[in-house]
Amino acid sequence: EQDKEFGESLKARLENPVSTEASQGLRMLQTLPSLAPYRAQIIALCAHRDHRIVSAAVKLIGRLQDPSLRDLLEAAAAHSDPRVRANAVEAMDLLHVADRSKQIFALLNSRFNRERANAIRAISRFDFATARECLVKMLADPSHHHRISALWVVSQLSLMTLVRQVG
């Protein structure tokens, strides 16, 4: 009974048009092991007017474990907000649909470090040669934000471990 009340309360929060309510609901969702009961609300929030809400909802799409949501993520990867685009790439990577994305390759040279790093990481799973070239460029980027994000990619891909082993 308590779980049912919690679920209904959370759904009401997610469906509330007020951004603060939806944002709180999304933060609550992040802690749950299964998002399936809230699938419809998460998808609906991907079209919210507040970019922060859209960004958080798009990130959760990857946890829904539904590759059929690739088109929604493809649209999110073309969103005007860089956080939304970065989270869309991350979600596509989680769903293993990045290799079919039209948008990911466009983000490889983005001026926004996080979406660029996420795109390189996602592409590395199916086109390591392209990812390696892009990563080398990012490591040499004049912006320290891009270089730091490139080091994150190195860490995520366990390339430092490989370098140490070869060394």
Side-chain angles (χ1 to χ4, degrees):
E1 184 65 35
Q2 190 175 5
D3 284 345
K4 186 177 179 182
E5 283 180 34
F6 171 78
E8 293 304 316
S9 170
L10 182 52
K11 282 182 181 180
R13 196 174 287 254
L14 292 168
E15 293 168 353
N16 192 316
V18 178
S19 293
T20 54
E21 289 292 315
S23 181
Q24 288 174 344
L26 286 166
R27 280 195 300 278
M28 292 168 70
L29 276 182
Q30 291 171 359
T31 66
L32 298 178
S34 173
L35 302 179
Y38 308 97
R39 182 182 193 279
Q41 289 80 14
I42 294 168
I43 290 170
L45 287 172
C46 289
H48 199 276
R49 68 183 184 286
D50 185 331
H51 294 200
R52 294 170 300 190
I53 301 295
V54 174
S55 177
V58 164
K59 188 169 185 166
L60 291 175
I61 292 290
R63 287 190 44 211
L64 288 174
Q65 300 175 350
D66 183 354
S68 72
L69 295 171
R70 184 185 69 80
D71 289 341
L72 183 146
L73 292 173
E74 190 74 12
H79 196 276
S80 63
D81 187 276
R83 293 168 297 194
V84 174
R85 293 189 304 264
N87 286 347
V89 171
E90 194 174 304
M92 280 191 251
D93 194 20
L94 272 173
L95 293 175
H96 305 289
V97 296
D99 61 325
R100 293 180 273 147
S101 172
K102 298 171 188 153
Q103 294 296 327
I104 286 186
F105 283 96
L107 299 175
L108 287 173
N109 296 308
S110 173
R111 63 186 184 103
F112 297 100
N113 60 306
R114 188 166 163 251
E115 66 187 28
R116 184 179 179 190
N118 284 355
I120 292 170
R121 184 174 136 217
I123 286 173
S124 73
R125 300 189 200 291
F126 61 91
D127 185 353
F128 191 76
T130 299
R132 185 187 64 228
E133 282 179 42
C134 294
L135 183 56
V136 167
K137 286 180 190 172
M138 195 171 185
L139 284 165
D141 194 283
S143 165
H144 70 280
H145 294 294
H146 284 267
R147 292 190 309 271
I148 290 169
S149 291
L151 289 172
W152 173 82
V153 173
V154 168
S155 169
Q156 290 294 301
L157 298 179
S158 299
L159 295 177
M160 286 307 297
T161 305
L162 182 63
V163 168
R164 284 189 208 109
Q165 287 175 349
V166 170

